[in-house]
Amino acid sequence: LSSLPDFENMPRNFIIKPSNLYNAHGVVPIVGRTVCSRKQLFRESARDTIIKSGAFGASTSTTDKFIVESYIKNHDLYSQWQFQCDAPLDFKFYMFGDTVAAIAVRDRPMTGTPTWQFFDEEWNILDGECDFIARAPHASKIAGFAKPENLDEMIAGAKTVGSTLGMFVRVDMYSADVGTIFGEVTYWPANGLLTQCGNDYMTPFWQGLEGAGELPEKPEWFDETISVPGQSKLC
């Protein structure tokens, strides 16, 4: 952090986040003169305060690496979902190769309860009674959420990533005011904590050893004594 330039020489809107955390934990958006953190800070004095006392929380004590990125604004279609300091809407594509199993939309306001909704590739709401993510069963559903204007572009990008990797993967993107923005790829979304109904929905999409494609040939080191549930005698 000590190598950061003075905030007055930075863009009007940007974010700082620690490299060792996940989700929105530790993310500090600077939006105009407002520094969005658990401490009341203003842009002019925020840099020194953040460095000295930390606006990121104690969990960042294990890292000295921080990332500075642009602050993403939602597409105009979703401007009502993003108030000052709010993270942009997150579009999460659950991919089995080039097959879209589900599209999760997540709204993470700076204050209040996160909201989730799951859609299929045709933008139909999936089982409204099913909370797919085990650690967020309390999350309310996003009702009447509009289909993104760039949905086809995001799906095409997710399919390219999924088919290239040839496995199960979640591809995250943003529908921003400047167009489609790639977020990240994860092979272990939500720490693997799907609910039973989430598992029931996702399991039929799984093919082969890694989620997409045929089972590979047995390697030389294959051990016949090892088995994995659902994949008999496969290690």
Side-chain angles (χ1 to χ4, degrees), residues 1-17 28-37 41-51 55-56 66-68:
L1 281 176
S2 60
S3 64
L4 281 175
D6 188 90
F7 283 3
E8 289 303 297
N9 297 321
M10 300 285 279
R12 173 176 171 78
N13 304 326
F14 62 97
I15 67 167
I16 303 174
K17 62 182 183 181
V28 177
I30 289 82
V31 183
R33 291 190 64 248
T34 303
V35 178
C36 310
S37 77
L41 303 173
F42 291 99
R43 185 183 181 111
E44 292 83 352
S45 58
R47 179 181 177 277
D48 289 342
T49 304
I50 289 174
I51 292 171
F56 302 93
F66 291 82
I67 302 168
V68 178

Side-chain angles (χ1 to χ4, degrees), residues 100-204:
V100 181
I103 305 169
V105 182
R106 190 177 188 194
D107 178 31
R108 292 176 293 203
M110 193 72 178
T111 58
T113 304
T115 53
W116 288 81
Q117 185 56 281
F118 281 77
F119 299 85
D120 64 15
E121 187 175 353
E122 304 302 321
W123 207 246
N124 300 306
I125 295 178
L126 296 177
D127 189 353
E129 300 302 316
C130 176
D131 286 308
F132 283 76
I133 307 299
R135 66 183 180 188
H138 63 281
S140 58
K141 302 296 192 298
I142 301 173
F145 193 78
K147 179 179 178 179
E149 293 181 1
N150 61 330
L151 179 62
D152 290 344
E153 183 179 38
M154 289 194 290
I155 288 175
K159 287 187 174 184
T160 297
V161 174
S163 61
T164 300
L165 294 175
M167 62 189 301
F168 168 72
V169 66
R170 196 190 73 196
V171 183
D172 296 358
M173 299 188 192
Y174 301 99
S175 181
D177 59 343
V178 294
T180 300
I181 295 179
F182 171 78
E184 67 173 357
V185 168
T186 178
Y187 311 100
W188 192 248
N191 203 27
L193 299 178
L194 291 177
T195 60
Q196 185 60 55
C197 67
N199 273 317
D200 291 344
Y201 175 80
M202 294 290 182
T203 298

